Amino acid sequence: MDEDYSPGSADAEREMTRLWRTWRTVFEMLADRGYEVTEEEIQIPLDQFRAKYSDPLGYPDRAKMKISARPTEAMVAKYTPLPTRNNPNPQGECGTIYVEFCPDAAGVGTKQIRNFNHFVDENNFHTGIFISQTPISPSAVRLLSSMPGRFCEHFQEQDLLVNITRHELVPKHVLLSAEEKARLLERYRLKESQLPRIQVSDPVARYLGLRRGQVVKIIRKSETAGRYASYRWVI
């Protein structure tokens, strides 16, 4: 047997590679939602990721893996409600996002979520994404969505190993702004509740961070029409 061979090092490399794929998907997800991220961050090479985020034994050091990003002007515009008499100058309903990879391998519950929520709130992040290696308890899920004025989400690492929106069978989903949504409803003389629906728990809706009440445009390829669009109301 080769003297340099170590079963531990092979395990470490496997875990590092899996987490690198998840990390890249997270940055693709942030870019697709409209946050300011660079192509260099999205396309980080494995060796660079390993050098930056591994511990002395070559395993991932998730405690180092924290991300924050600001919304682009285009995202702020898309998340700004229409003016009303009571609110003639509405503000964009989005802000800086914070992403944390939980270092605990098992037993993730309300303790870790409470700490995460506290950090999000104390640092005035608008949105938080908590990423764990294993499922979290139902009480932790409820706690995660309990902060007024904050949007906190949970993913497992394995959920993000592959970017589902890059699959050829998944049509392109585009969030409509409040103005685009109003024009759509007016054009077809519809109420939003008359549109077909998409659940917030839908995998693509989760990937894009869609919220209840929003409308998403779904663009599909067609052999006859080239491309055609349909619309879904998020519930």
Side-chain angles (χ1 to χ4, degrees):
M1 182 180 288
D2 191 330
E3 291 181 5
D4 293 331
Y5 175 75
S6 165
S9 64
D11 289 343
E13 183 60 24
R14 245 190 322 270
E15 190 176 347
M16 207 74 211
T17 302
R18 280 174 58 86
L19 202 51
W20 167 68
R21 290 169 58 193
T22 293
W23 179 263
R24 285 176 49 140
T25 301
V26 169
F27 271 96
E28 291 170 349
M29 181 171 74
L30 295 179
D32 288 342
R33 290 187 182 195
Y35 291 98
E36 293 179 354
V37 297
T38 66
E39 195 62 27
E40 288 75 17
E41 289 172 314
I42 296 172
Q43 300 292 347
I44 183 172
L46 176 57
D47 57 348
Q48 193 176 323
F49 177 78
R50 189 190 299 111
K52 197 169 183 180
Y53 297 111
S54 64
D55 65 15
L57 295 176
Y59 285 92
D61 187 350
R62 289 172 176 82
K64 295 178 182 175
M65 296 175 62
K66 302 178 192 299
I67 303 165
S68 64
R70 297 177 304 179
T72 59
E73 289 183 11
M75 183 180 182
V76 173
K78 191 161 277 196
Y79 276 79
T80 300
L82 292 173
T84 63
R85 184 178 297 174
N86 293 333
N87 186 12
N89 297 300
Q91 300 299 305
E93 296 176 348
C94 62
T96 306
I97 191 169
Y98 169 70
V99 184
E100 179 177 299
F101 283 74
C102 181
D104 299 330
V108 180
T110 54
K111 176 187 173 186
Q112 291 90 341
I113 296 300
R114 197 170 282 112
N115 291 337
F116 175 77
N117 282 357
H118 179 72
F119 188 84
V120 168
D121 200 40
E122 282 288 294
N123 290 277
N124 203 30
F125 290 109
H126 182 274
T127 304
I129 297 180
F130 183 82
I131 301 177
S132 64
Q133 301 171 59
T134 54
I136 62 175
S137 66
S139 55
V141 172
R142 288 192 297 273
L143 184 61
L144 192 61
S145 57
S146 67
M147 278 197 299
R150 312 275 185 219
F151 290 88
C152 290
E153 311 161 44
H154 168 251
F155 289 89
Q156 281 183 242
E157 290 177 6
Q158 66 186 32
D159 297 337
L160 299 167
L161 266 175
V162 174
N163 186 337
I164 56 167
T165 67
R166 302 296 193 263
H167 195 284
E168 61 178 11
L169 295 180
V170 177
K172 185 174 179 63
H173 290 57
V174 180
L175 173 64
L176 298 189
S177 67
E179 188 176 339
E180 290 167 335
K181 173 183 168 182
R183 283 205 305 264
L184 173 76
L185 298 177
E186 185 179 353
R187 188 195 317 153
Y188 294 107
R189 298 181 180 179
L190 293 171
K191 295 178 181 177
E192 57 185 16
S193 58
Q194 293 175 293
L195 290 171
R197 301 173 180 196
I198 183 174
Q199 302 274 350
V200 288
S201 57
D202 177 272
V204 177
R206 290 187 68 219
Y207 175 88
L208 292 174
L210 300 182
R211 303 176 194 167
R212 287 180 175 85
Q214 292 179 325
V215 172
V216 65
K217 179 180 183 179
I218 301 176
I219 303 165
R220 290 183 169 87
K221 293 178 182 176
S222 163
E223 290 183 5
T224 53
R227 296 197 314 171
Y228 71 96
S230 59
Y231 299 87
R232 296 286 185 274
W233 181 45
V234 185
I235 61 167

